[in-house]
Amino acid sequence: MGSNLPDTPTMTIAAVLLDQALDHVLDYAIPPPLVGKLTPGMRVKVPVRNSVRVATVIEIKEKSSFQLQPLKELLDEKPFISPDLFLLARWMSRYYCCPLRKVLKAILPPSIRKMMKPKEQLLVHSALTSSELIASCEQLRGEYPLQAQILDVLLKHPKGILLSRLLELAKTSRSPITTLIKKKILTCQKIQIDRTAVSDQEYFPTKRKTLTAEQETALQYIREDLIHNRFQTRLIHGITGSGKTEVYLQAIELALSLNKGVIFLVPEIALTSQTIERLKGRFKEKIAILHHRLSPGEKFDTWHQIRDGKAPIVVGARSALFSPVPNLGLLIVDEEHESSYKQSDESPSYHARDVAVMRGKLCQAVVVLGSATPSLESYHNAKTGKYALDTLTLRADRATLPRVTIVDMQREFALNKGFTLFSDALLSAIKQRLEIGEQTLLFLNRRGYHSAQMCLKCQHVLQCPHCDTKLTFHLGENLLACHLCDYHLSPPPRQCPKCRSDGDFKFKGAGTEMVERALHAIFPQVRTLRMDADTTRHKGSHELLFKQFKAGKADVLIGTQMIAKGLHFPSVTLVAVLNADGSLQIPDFRGSENIFQLLTQVAGRSGRGSLAGEVIIQTHMPDHPIIALAKEQDYLGFYQTEIETRKLFGYPPFSHLVKLTLSGTEETATQQAALSIRNRLVEQLSSDFQIYPVVPSGHARVKTRFRFQFLIKGEKLGALLPHLSSLNTQGDIRLAIDVDPLSTFF
């Protein structure tokens, strides 16, 4: 008797996205042996014309009426992209107006996409007992001395030795080793080598600290959310040195006890080593590190250890957010206000903090944001109930906030009858620290020696030939460099390129290199370290400088923005900001927020131990209200002032901004393309959106490409995003869409 039930549809079509070239989906037939085995997120090889390409499965569909080519090969039986990450990728593609292919490229490290292999080496060890090996060694010594020499080395390594190391120590070729293997005296086997960043490092164990009442309250809320598998975003607003990290550590301890994975984001590589030190001192579990300075092999091994559940704690910069952590339960975004969490140089232009919140929602995980100076968006979300708010008002270990002094540099210039880097008050304070053996941080957010070289006859300032920016002079390497495209001019010209006059140049502006040299001229005995993009370009340099300064091998640390956040040096009692005015002169609505955060964070590096701290802020605008608020570390006062201004002008968090930037090699054509797209959007969008005029970008030309931009402002993005996703350009003109940009000027 036949059944009247309809046939269950067979899912035999795989919709895939290629790694390269195409942004649209291609369909392939699933070969019979693989039917039922494929899921979204798996990696496959597929035929494309006359080649075979690697692709990611994004959907499994029913049988098609078209004749489809079968896919060639399944590359791994486990999905490379977990279901929660796949949902996250789709959301990012929609929200940031970016093709899904590019989002998947951001999620999967290049070493995983290119199918690297684990590093394997040969391990040689004895096939005999120790006494048998000694006997064989003595028996061979007279007739086969090279074989005996090999066994001598092996006797000192009872657990085995790598073949490469054995050849080096025995000072022999591979032939006698092969002979010993044939005699069944030795065995040789392949082993996988761990290339992860902290595989062989040891750290001093530390004990959990007793929490203050405020810390305990914050932790209790996190504990309840973790236990009940409840998604919640919690903002910990704690003054600098209030012990936010200890709350993080105890929250991680609880998450691990519940068999939940953890992602811990830090804004700078400089902070990674400090965070690793604290985590390794507290936890025995394997910790994975992910950031852009790792080698492809290190990233490959680390990624697989995370996916296999061997490293339940992941620490890193923004890309670590996409780690394939099984059973993810806790995401921590330390210094959540930091601009380095925003990717702006390529698509997708995502903000790791916002994407972390979305990933937490998809995983039913707890998201903890921490900062002494939260972004206005995050604090507004906390005040309006979207996030939960915990406040830490006291410094841990009875430390007190530093004393802050504002120095008017206009007055100092008058007293010194010209330019000076250091005020009298600062020099006196540095001298005092040198005498009593305490440490000093000097902050200047400009690297190099001089910021410009100018011809005195025609006033021409030497520019980068490829970018709209001045060339910076670097004394140590005797060259002029562009900090946008890395163009170098070495040695600096002796003749003005404009008026052709010889040698009549003047250098202007000061960078960290000049600060270091000037300090040595004033205090010949001073020991300094410099931390900027020039001194940290090599792998491991951040960690080395950090350890040297913490160990007391320098009296003064001079640095750019990378020393302004999160670093903990108990012996630092003096922090100086050499020029506090930079961001206040940029026409950007976030300028005030940026300078308040920077000054407060830098000041927070002082007096973090038992010693009292002091901060000196040098400025040309001593009466500016933002500098006065930063002096008092009055975040609430700043928030109240700034939020009213934002509300008045309808800026975030009361609206969303989207920045559209067009770049091309022809200035007029690029400007016309920007105007054309703007006019098209004016016709399509409702009056709910405000479309600003097309203007040159803050850097109007970068790497020989002219750049024009315009802003769109509106309260709800939903009606705007489909229009943006359909935009395209022709020729060599490129369009970059930045949703929720951090800078509206550059």
Side-chain angles (χ1 to χ4, degrees):
M1 186 174 178
S3 171
N4 293 323
L5 292 173
D7 293 335
T8 304
T10 308
M11 311 296 274
T12 57
I13 306 295
V16 307
L17 270 175
L18 300 180
D19 278 6
Q20 296 176 328
L22 294 175
D23 288 333
H24 60 263
V25 175
L26 301 177
D27 287 349
Y28 288 88
I30 302 173
L34 296 180
V35 172
K37 293 183 179 179
L38 262 64
T39 60
M42 286 183 167
R43 304 275 283 166
V44 292
K45 284 186 177 180
V46 296
V48 181
R49 293 181 182 170
N50 297 322
S51 63
V52 176
R53 304 275 190 90
V54 177
T56 303
V57 177
I58 64 164
E59 188 183 357
I60 305 299
K61 304 193 294 189
E62 293 181 26
K63 197 169 184 178
S64 169
S65 56
F66 296 100
Q67 189 71 31
L68 299 175
Q69 285 186 287
L71 58 85
K72 289 283 187 187
E73 183 184 349
L74 175 62
L75 295 177
D76 196 358
E77 292 185 1
K78 290 172 66 177
F80 276 68
I81 300 174
S82 59
D84 69 296
L85 276 174
F86 207 80
L87 288 171
L88 185 70
R90 287 188 175 279
W91 175 82
M92 288 177 65
S93 176
R94 290 191 302 272
Y95 189 83
Y96 291 108
C97 302
C98 174
L100 182 59
R101 175 180 66 85
K102 289 189 176 181
V103 178
L104 296 177
K105 185 179 176 182
I107 287 176
L108 279 180
S111 55
I112 303 300
R113 293 198 307 272
K114 293 175 183 176
M115 302 302 294
M116 277 187 71
K117 299 293 183 185
K119 184 178 180 180
E120 292 183 333
Q121 287 194 15
L122 293 171
L123 181 72
V124 179
H125 48 86
S126 172
L128 309 175
T129 64
S130 180
S131 57
E132 289 172 338
L133 193 64
I134 293 170
S136 296
C137 185
E138 293 307 317
Q139 187 180 346
L140 293 168
R141 198 173 301 280
E143 192 173 353
Y144 303 104
L146 286 178
Q147 293 181 23
Q149 203 168 304
I150 290 163
L151 298 185
D152 283 336
V153 173
L154 209 68
L155 282 165
K156 297 176 183 177
H157 297 82
K159 293 182 180 179
I161 183 172
L162 292 175
L163 176 61
S164 56
R165 181 67 175 152
L166 178 57
L167 291 170
E168 182 185 332
L169 293 176
K171 297 177 182 176
T172 183
S173 68
R174 191 165 174 172
S175 177
I177 298 173
T178 305
T179 303
L180 288 168
I181 293 171
K182 287 178 180 176
K183 290 180 178 180
K184 297 187 177 179
I185 295 173
L186 300 182
T187 62
C188 186
Q189 66 182 104
K190 283 184 179 179
I191 61 163
Q192 194 168 314
I193 302 298
D194 186 359
R195 293 170 287 192
T196 55
V198 291
S199 58
D200 57 352
Q201 297 180 26
E202 293 185 3
Y203 294 86
F204 290 111
T206 59
K207 294 181 179 179
R208 67 199 321 249
K209 297 179 181 178
T210 303
L211 300 180
T212 64
E214 290 177 331
Q215 289 173 309
E216 185 58 55
T217 300
L219 181 64
Q220 182 58 35
Y221 285 125
I222 297 170
R223 182 183 290 120
E224 289 174 7
D225 292 333
L226 280 170
I227 290 171
H228 292 97
N229 299 313
R230 188 165 56 210
F231 162 65
Q232 178 63 272
T233 303
R234 306 202 70 85
L235 173 63
I236 299 181
H237 173 216
I239 62 170
T240 54
S242 58
K244 294 183 288 293
T245 303
E246 184 61 30
V247 177
Y248 302 156
L249 292 175
Q250 296 197 24
I252 291 170
E253 185 180 351
L254 179 63
L256 294 176
S257 72
L258 296 169
N259 293 316
K260 294 177 183 286
V262 178
I263 294 176
F264 193 146
L265 298 185
V266 293
E268 290 274 1
I269 298 175
L271 292 178
T272 306
S273 58
Q274 176 179 276
T275 307
I276 289 292
E277 186 177 316
R278 291 181 175 179
L279 289 167
K280 290 291 285 185
R282 190 69 66 89
F283 303 112
K284 293 180 180 178
E285 286 82 358
K286 189 170 182 64
I287 295 168
I289 305 172
L290 282 174
H291 55 71
H292 73 274
R293 286 284 177 89
L294 299 180
S295 70
E298 287 174 327
K299 288 179 182 176
F300 179 89
D301 289 356
T302 301
W303 189 91
H304 278 281
Q305 286 180 1
I306 295 168
R307 188 177 72 152
D308 295 341
K310 295 176 182 176
I313 306 172
V314 179
V315 179
R318 62 174 180 247
S319 61
L321 171 64
F322 303 122
S323 302
V325 179
N327 195 26
L328 179 62
L330 178 64
L331 295 104
I332 297 168
V333 185
D334 193 24
E335 309 294 353
E336 65 85 28
H337 65 280
E338 274 297 335
S339 60
S340 50
Y341 283 126
K342 173 74 170 175
Q343 176 162 288
S344 302
D345 51 353
E346 61 180 316
S347 183
S349 295
Y350 70 93
H351 198 302
R353 175 198 63 219
D354 301 336
V355 179
V357 172
M358 178 53 70
R359 188 170 186 193
K361 182 177 181 180
L362 295 172
C363 295
Q364 290 300 297
V366 181
V367 182
V368 178
L369 313 178
S371 177
T373 53
S375 63
L376 258 77
E377 286 87 344
S378 291
Y379 200 75
H380 180 74
N381 283 338
K383 296 293 283 185
T384 54
K386 188 175 180 180
Y387 299 166
L389 177 65
D390 298 302
T391 305
L392 308 180
T393 59
L394 301 173
R395 278 196 156 186
D397 300 324
R398 298 182 180 178
T400 56
L401 285 171
R403 176 170 55 88
V404 182
T405 303
I406 306 290
V407 176
D408 183 355
M409 290 307 288
Q410 299 281 24
R411 183 173 174 274
E412 293 293 321
F413 287 2
L415 288 172
N416 285 274
K417 297 181 180 178
F419 174 79
T420 179
L421 274 170
F422 310 109
S423 62
D424 289 345
L426 176 55
L427 290 176
S428 175
I430 293 172
K431 183 180 179 183
Q432 181 187 344
R433 271 33 180 222
L434 289 173
E435 289 171 350
I436 59 179
E438 294 173 1
Q439 291 179 304
T440 300
L441 282 186
L442 297 182
F443 169 78
L444 179 64
N445 207 19
R446 184 184 292 147
R447 62 189 171 102
Y449 195 84
H450 289 293
S451 57
Q453 182 176 349
M454 184 180 76
C455 173
L456 288 175
K457 287 194 176 176
C458 69
Q459 309 300 306
H460 174 70
V461 177
L462 271 69
Q463 299 272 125
C464 173
H466 311 297
C467 305
D468 180 30
T469 188
K470 297 175 288 187
L471 292 173
T472 301
F473 177 59
H474 293 255
L475 180 67
E477 298 164 291
N478 190 32
L479 55 80
L480 291 166
C482 172
H483 291 169
L484 292 178
C485 72
D486 208 28
Y487 166 81
H488 288 74
L489 191 58
S490 178
R494 295 178 178 273
Q495 187 181 72
C496 175
K498 186 175 182 182
C499 71
R500 301 297 176 186
S501 62
D502 290 327
D504 217 1
F505 288 107
K506 179 182 180 182
F507 287 102
K508 298 180 67 178
T512 49
E513 196 180 356
M514 181 193 243
V515 172
E516 186 173 36
R517 194 177 179 91
L519 200 63
H520 279 281
I522 299 167
F523 303 108
Q525 78 280 18
V526 71
R527 300 170 303 158
T528 60
L529 288 172
R530 182 160 53 89
M531 202 169 187
D532 54 31
D534 296 323
T535 62
T536 58
R537 63 179 60 150
H538 299 298
K539 185 177 176 181
S541 50
H542 290 92
E543 291 87 343
L544 180 62
L545 289 168
F546 167 73
K547 287 176 181 175
Q548 286 177 336
F549 191 62
K550 193 171 184 182
K553 294 183 179 179
D555 307 302
V556 180
L557 177 62
I558 302 156
T560 53
Q561 200 158 326
M562 60 181 68
I563 71 166
K565 56 197 82 167
L567 293 173
H568 178 76
F569 299 116
S571 296
V572 169
T573 59
L574 174 64
V575 168
V577 180
L578 300 185
N579 180 7
D581 311 324
S583 295
L584 292 174
Q585 297 165 354
I586 295 173
D588 193 310
F589 79 96
R590 293 189 197 273
S592 296
E593 181 179 12
N594 292 339
I595 198 69
F596 176 83
Q597 289 169 339
L598 191 60
L599 293 178
T600 305
Q601 290 288 338
V602 174
R605 302 312 108 212
S606 178
R608 296 176 69 90
S610 57
L611 304 169
E614 181 182 3
V615 178
I616 294 175
I617 298 175
Q618 298 185 166
T619 174
H620 295 272
M621 296 183 279
D623 299 322
H624 197 288
I626 296 300
I627 291 176
L629 288 165
K631 175 186 176 181
E632 301 301 325
Q633 301 214 9
D634 182 6
Y635 177 80
L636 294 181
F638 163 75
Y639 174 80
Q640 292 299 335
T641 302
E642 188 67 14
I643 203 72
E644 290 302 320
T645 305
R646 298 276 184 97
K647 190 173 184 179
L648 180 65
F649 291 100
Y651 280 127
F654 300 101
S655 67
H656 285 280
L657 285 176
V658 179
K659 180 172 69 175
L660 279 74
T661 304
L662 287 99
S663 66
T665 52
E666 294 291 331
E667 184 175 10
T668 303
T670 306
Q671 185 177 20
Q672 287 301 319
L675 290 169
S676 174
I677 286 180
R678 182 187 180 278
N679 291 338
R680 177 178 160 186
L681 290 171
V682 167
E683 292 174 3
Q684 293 176 342
L685 298 178
S686 70
S687 58
D688 294 337
F689 295 97
Q690 182 179 351
I691 305 179
Y692 287 69
V694 172
V695 295
S697 297
H699 292 304
R701 190 168 68 116
V702 176
K703 298 180 181 177
T704 69
R705 297 183 68 83
F706 294 92
R707 302 164 77 241
F708 289 88
Q709 66 184 42
F710 64 95
L711 296 171
I712 303 173
K713 184 169 70 175
E715 288 187 23
K716 294 184 179 179
L717 281 176
L720 172 63
L721 297 181
H723 294 285
L724 298 181
S725 297
S726 65
L727 295 175
N728 52 55
T729 56
Q730 295 180 339
D732 83 326
I733 293 174
R734 300 172 196 157
L735 169 65
I737 299 172
D738 190 352
V739 178
D740 301 328
L742 288 192
S743 172
T744 56
F745 179 64
F746 290 113

